């Protein structure tokens, strides 16, 4: 729970929000009307004078009823984790495809929430002569949003067709694709830059890059590959995002090898790994050959000593209980362990090409 709240604070910072404080309540089940219990809601309201907050962000997805009741009780804007992630995605999407996908996810998120805005007029009924203005407006809004969703899906399908043709062209070239996957901010973009001298945008924030980037690399055995950086994963990823970005995630289906980048310095690295595994399972990608790259090892070392690459990797290999033949220690920032990683990619590609 604490980790999830801390991550929510990071998401808020990424969205440009200054965090004034946090509140946690342990309940068997959330209140259907206000999410929080009555006492905790009162506590949150009393904090308004002391910390002067003007928005409250909840770590779970709120129902339309919960959101409306909370805004009435607190008299500030209330959003949930899903809306926050969608807002970050909207700010971060650079390509036309990415912008279309985010807009689709936003409309799919909004559609079921329209009804709650007009629920106070439901008693007017739906018969001839009894239909109220609110209900008419609701029907109009729903129809417009459904039309927009249909239009966006059509546009995305066109982009998807172009991407499919591009993938087929790449496939004919015979150059294997290696996809970098991992939890958001694990260092995927930094690694792609280090391997290819690319200029992928890098920032110490969640979801710094959304749009997939592909670069050509030469392995130690002189063979060539295409390395693709993909959108980072996160716990409680909104279903609307997964649905809308399915076209982007399809890039992973074409990969011969997945390189799972893990931030070894994170105190909940194991949970982050499990989140990635769960999403890969949902995308039916668990059977793909996998390499695990344990990143940011330079941050684990005593800064009082001078470490070179070989000494650092040998020392941490001796200390690690998770090393195996498909795992490599790296520092994308310092470019440590990259030769070993490329050799492991080459070996895995050769092995995957052999008949079973």
């Amino acid at each position: 729970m604490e980790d999830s709240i801390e991550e929510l604070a990071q998401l808020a910072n990424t969205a440009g929000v200054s965090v004034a404080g946090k509140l946690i309540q342990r309940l068997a089940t959330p209140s259907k009307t206000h999410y929080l219990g009555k006492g905790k809601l009162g506590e949150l309201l009393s904090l308004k004078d002391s910390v002067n907050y003007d928005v409250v962000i909840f770590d779970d997805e709120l129902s339309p009823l919960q959101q409306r009741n909370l805004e009435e009780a607190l008299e500030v804007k209330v959003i949930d984790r899903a809306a926050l992630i969608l807002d970050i995605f909207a700010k971060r999407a650079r390509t036309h495809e990415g912008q279309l996908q985010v807009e689709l996810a936003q409309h799919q998120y909004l559609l079921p929430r329209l009804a709650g805005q007009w629920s106070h007029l439901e008693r007017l009924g739906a018969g001839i002569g009894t239909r109220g203005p609110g209900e008419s407006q609701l029907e109009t809004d729903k129809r417009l949003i459904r039309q927009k969703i249909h239009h966006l899906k059509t546009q995305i399908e066109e982009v998807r067709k172009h991407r499919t043709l591009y993938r087929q062209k790449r496939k004919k070239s015979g150059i294997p694709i290696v996809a970098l996957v991992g939890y958001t901010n694990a260092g995927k973009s930094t690694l792609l830059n280090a391997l290819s001298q690319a200029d992928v945008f890098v920032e110490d924030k969640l979801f710094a890059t959304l749009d997939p980037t592909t670069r050509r690399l030469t392995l130690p055995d002189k063979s060539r590959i295409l390395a693709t950086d993909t959108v980072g994963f996160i716990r409680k990823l909104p279903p609307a995002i997964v649905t809308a970005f399915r076209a982007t995630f399809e890039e992973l289906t074409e990969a011969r090898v997945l390189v799972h980048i893990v931030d070894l310095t994170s105190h909940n690295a194991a949970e982050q790994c499990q989140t990635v595994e769960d999403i890969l399972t949902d995308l039916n990608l668990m059977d793909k050959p996998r390499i695990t790259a344990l990143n940011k090892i330079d941050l684990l070392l005593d800064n009082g000593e001078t470490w070179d690459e070989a000494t650092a990797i040998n020392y941490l290999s001796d200390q690690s209980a998770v090393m195996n033949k498909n795992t490599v220690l790296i520092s994308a920032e310092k470019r440590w362990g990259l030769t070993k990683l490329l050799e492991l990619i080459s070996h895995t590609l050769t092995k995957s090409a052999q008949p079973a």
Side-chain angles (χ1 to χ4, degrees):
M1 195 187 328
E2 289 282 356
D3 290 341
S4 191
I5 286 290
E6 179 58 35
E7 188 173 82
L8 187 70
Q10 288 181 273
L11 286 167
N13 288 330
T14 299
V17 175
S18 176
V19 178
K22 65 180 180 179
L23 203 63
I24 291 176
Q25 180 174 29
R26 290 170 174 82
L27 284 175
T29 55
S31 163
K32 290 183 179 180
T33 58
H34 290 81
Y35 185 77
L36 295 173
K38 187 175 180 180
K40 189 62 69 170
L41 182 61
E43 183 181 338
L44 179 57
L45 184 59
S46 67
L47 284 172
K48 194 174 177 183
D49 292 333
S50 59
V51 300
N52 195 30
Y53 61 78
D54 55 11
V55 62
V56 179
I57 307 172
F58 285 78
D59 196 36
D60 285 315
E61 193 164 325
L62 299 173
S63 71
L65 177 63
Q66 289 170 332
Q67 184 175 359
R68 188 179 71 252
N69 288 341
L70 284 165
E71 288 186 337
E72 288 177 357
L74 299 172
E75 297 183 338
V76 296
K77 185 177 181 61
V78 170
I79 64 174
D80 59 19
R81 185 185 181 96
L84 179 61
I85 291 176
L86 286 170
D87 181 75
I88 294 169
F89 271 49
K91 290 179 180 178
R92 298 283 179 168
R94 298 286 185 267
T95 66
H96 178 58
E97 179 185 6
Q99 291 165 353
L100 287 174
Q101 289 170 329
V102 172
E103 191 176 355
L104 173 61
Q106 287 176 317
H107 280 81
Q108 289 174 326
Y109 174 83
L110 178 61
L111 182 59
R113 285 162 173 76
L114 284 177
Q117 297 179 20
W118 304 97
S119 60
H120 60 292
L121 296 170
E122 285 176 354
R123 63 181 182 276
L124 293 174
I128 295 175
T130 62
R131 180 169 293 159
E135 192 160 282
S136 298
Q137 183 63 53
L138 172 60
E139 291 171 355
T140 300
D141 289 348
K142 280 189 171 182
R143 185 176 68 253
L144 290 173
I145 287 185
R146 287 194 181 104
Q147 289 174 350
K148 184 66 174 178
I149 287 173
H150 176 73
H151 179 62
L152 287 167
K153 283 183 174 179
T154 301
Q155 288 182 284
I156 289 174
E157 187 59 32
E158 286 299 313
V159 174
R160 187 178 180 180
K161 288 177 182 176
H162 286 297
R163 188 180 284 278
T164 300
L165 290 173
Y166 178 62
R167 283 205 302 261
Q168 289 173 348
K169 187 176 179 181
R170 284 195 317 204
K171 204 168 184 178
K172 287 181 180 178
S173 73
I175 302 178
I177 299 169
V178 174
L180 309 181
V181 300
Y183 208 78
T184 182
N185 209 29
K188 299 183 303 301
S189 297
T190 302
L191 177 59
L192 185 62
N193 286 342
L195 291 172
S196 64
Q197 286 76 55
D199 55 353
V200 181
F201 179 72
V202 174
E203 188 178 10
D204 188 21
K205 286 186 176 180
L206 306 184
F207 300 117
T209 51
L210 283 184
D211 304 300
T213 304
T214 301
R215 293 290 183 267
R216 191 182 297 254
L217 302 180
T218 301
L219 298 177
D221 63 3
K222 306 304 180 186
S223 62
R224 293 182 299 174
I225 63 168
L226 294 173
T228 298
D229 176 23
T230 57
V231 61
F233 299 150
I234 196 169
R235 75 182 85 190
K236 302 180 186 177
L237 193 63
I241 284 288
V242 177
T243 301
F245 274 74
R246 193 160 290 275
T248 300
F249 289 141
E250 282 179 358
E251 287 289 303
L252 301 177
T253 66
E254 299 296 318
R256 285 259 304 275
V257 173
L258 302 180
V259 179
H260 180 183
I261 317 301
V262 178
D263 177 0
L264 199 56
T265 66
S266 173
H267 68 277
N268 56 346
E271 289 81 2
Q272 292 179 358
C273 285
Q274 189 57 54
T275 296
V276 174
E277 295 295 321
D278 292 342
I279 295 175
L280 291 177
T281 299
D282 291 342
L283 296 170
N284 297 318
L285 294 169
M286 288 301 293
D287 292 335
K288 291 277 185 186
R290 190 92 51 84
I291 293 169
T292 301
L294 304 178
N295 191 25
K296 305 186 184 182
I297 61 170
D298 55 303
L299 300 180
L300 298 176
L301 302 170
D302 182 3
N303 292 328
E305 297 184 35
T306 300
W307 295 87
D308 58 31
E309 178 181 349
T311 305
I313 290 176
N314 287 337
Y315 170 76
L316 290 172
S317 294
D318 292 339
Q319 301 295 314
S320 176
V322 296
M323 296 298 293
N324 60 53
K325 62 181 180 180
N326 291 321
T327 303
V328 59
L329 293 166
I330 67 167
S331 167
E333 182 71 29
K334 289 187 174 291
R335 300 174 184 253
W336 289 353
L338 301 192
T339 300
K340 173 67 175 175
L341 173 60
L342 291 173
E343 289 173 350
L344 192 51
I345 290 173
S346 178
H347 174 75
T348 306
L349 283 169
T350 300
K351 189 175 179 181
S352 68
Q354 296 173 351

